[in-house]
Amino acid sequence: MDTIWTTNCTIPRRESLQSHIQTEVAIIGAGLAGILIGYELQKSGKQVVLLEAKQIASGQTSHTTAKITSQHGFVYHHLIKHFGEELARQYAIANEKAITHYRLLIKQEQIDCDFEEKDSYIYSDDMELLQKEFEAVTKLGLPASFVPSTSLPIPAAGAIQFESQAQFHPLKFIKSISECLTIYENTLVLSVEDNLIKTEQGTVRANSIVFATHFPFINFPGMYFTRMHQERSYVLALKHAPKIEGMFLGKGANAYSLRNYKDFLLFGGENHRCGEHIKGGHFDALRQKAKEWFPNSVEISHWSAQDCISVDSVPYIGHYSSKTPNWYVATGFQKWGMTGSMVSALILKDLICGYENSYATIFSPNRFTPSDLLNITKEGGMAVKGLLKRTLQLPEHVIEDLPCGHGEIVLIADEKIGVYKDDNGTVYPVTIRCPHLGCQLEWNPDEKSWDCPCHGSRFDYHGNWISNPAQTNISISSLS
Ligand code: FES
């Protein structure tokens, strides 16, 4: 699925690692977070190497809507309530600084990445919710005002406007700042022990190791699988839609995301937990809304995104665990990977270089209190549900009866098998036990993939791995 970003920007390919090397800092993952962390550390004088399992920015970075904003939905009322005003202010300042840093970097380096200053809006039909959030953002000193209506055709009781936010083309930006970095592509990390990273054809010994892999794939220590799940969302790029002034996000019945890129409107929504699907499909639901509100628009492309959601709505940026002082992590950006990546780069640069950072506390992965642990248990509960889910027993002739273009879980000779039948009648069987921690995978009819409801690993219908925390393919079962 090409996104609007991949159609007009190509990043040159790099070689894979085939030797044994040493460096000061090794970063696993060359998406926006990994690249920005590497860029900031290298600028501070550190020797840096990045390892990427696929290609630079081939994961979620190329699937974003690329809004650079400190307005993260209705998060600030929640932050003040959950963490208190001081820590909530740290979150606000860190994200405002991230915007300023993008602005400066793009100007200083003269990066041609379609960067535009825009105001950002959150709208809702719930006036009480809007009032509470407006009170919170005003208290924190964010650049906010309340507006009674928006320029959108979507009904709302009002909106909160943040001034001087921004949007850009993420791949053009990454292409430029990654030029100076040493990056090995197609280099899957197999294991990490203390200071040693093993890949398929080489090793890296590093003083500091940063995990910037979207979802951390080392289960112990850290146990990120107990405190994060993944959500999917969908985007349509529309032409002949009216120009909207600003970037928008809704909450409630009309929870949609909107921004322009050149002559196109990027219209997103239909969020759901990975592994859960609706009849009729998420893309079609979004298309119906596009038709209702932008009747003259024409779809030119569509794609989906996947985001890591932490239990308390705050990313995990800092030491990977208390047992691994030389390991660092940047993950759980919710749906705000542009600012989350820059916040990670600024915090991890300071931690690794031994500088003070005045807003790192709220993002620390080791921040949990007993009340947070209750939410963590809930996440664990979802995972157990996935592990225990029973397979519906279907008669063996089900494969014959399976319509072309459909996927299904069947029980054949006491073995649970996932099968997909393509339009030519060819059947693709896979095991449906997730290689991460063994949950049962679910068929995703929209994107013809097998998705894990526990922590969000995904696989195509051939069984090839698409996204972590799992790192291997799902083996092909024999039907003979
Ligand atoms: Fe954790 Fe599947 S992603 S069990």
Side-chain angles (χ1 to χ4, degrees), residues 434 436-439 452 454-457 469-470:
C434 178
H436 177 227
L437 287 173
C439 290
C452 182
C454 288
H455 317 110
S457 295

Side-chain angles (χ1 to χ4, degrees), residues 4 54 162 333 341 344 453 470:
I4 200 156
K54 294 177 181 170
F162 274 26
F333 300 150
S341 295
S344 303

Side-chain angles (χ1 to χ4, degrees), residues 432-462:
I432 43 85
R433 182 172 282 270
C434 178
H436 177 227
L437 287 173
C439 290
Q440 180 179 296
L441 303 173
E442 300 289 337
W443 177 245
N444 171 348
D446 273 338
E447 299 174 86
K448 302 197 186 322
S449 62
W450 293 99
D451 297 356
C452 182
C454 288
H455 317 110
S457 295
R458 298 183 62 234
F459 309 84
D460 70 16
Y461 64 78
H462 294 276

Side-chain angles (χ1 to χ4, degrees), residues 325-389:
N326 61 323
W327 290 10
Y328 301 85
V329 69
T331 189
F333 300 150
Q334 319 288 101
K335 295 172 189 302
W336 307 104
M338 304 300 100
T339 40
S341 295
M342 185 61 94
V343 169
S344 303
L346 300 177
I347 289 177
L348 294 188
K349 175 198 71 182
D350 287 349
L351 286 184
I352 291 170
C353 293
Y355 306 147
E356 278 289 307
N357 184 296
S358 55
Y359 46 85
T361 310
I362 189 171
F363 299 99
S364 168
N366 301 315
R367 62 181 174 263
F368 290 102
T369 63
S371 71
D372 294 321
L373 291 173
L374 280 175
N375 283 331
I376 289 173
T377 309
K378 274 189 216 154
E379 277 306 309
M382 279 302 290
V384 170
K385 199 171 133 202
L387 280 165
L388 296 181
K389 207 160 185 175

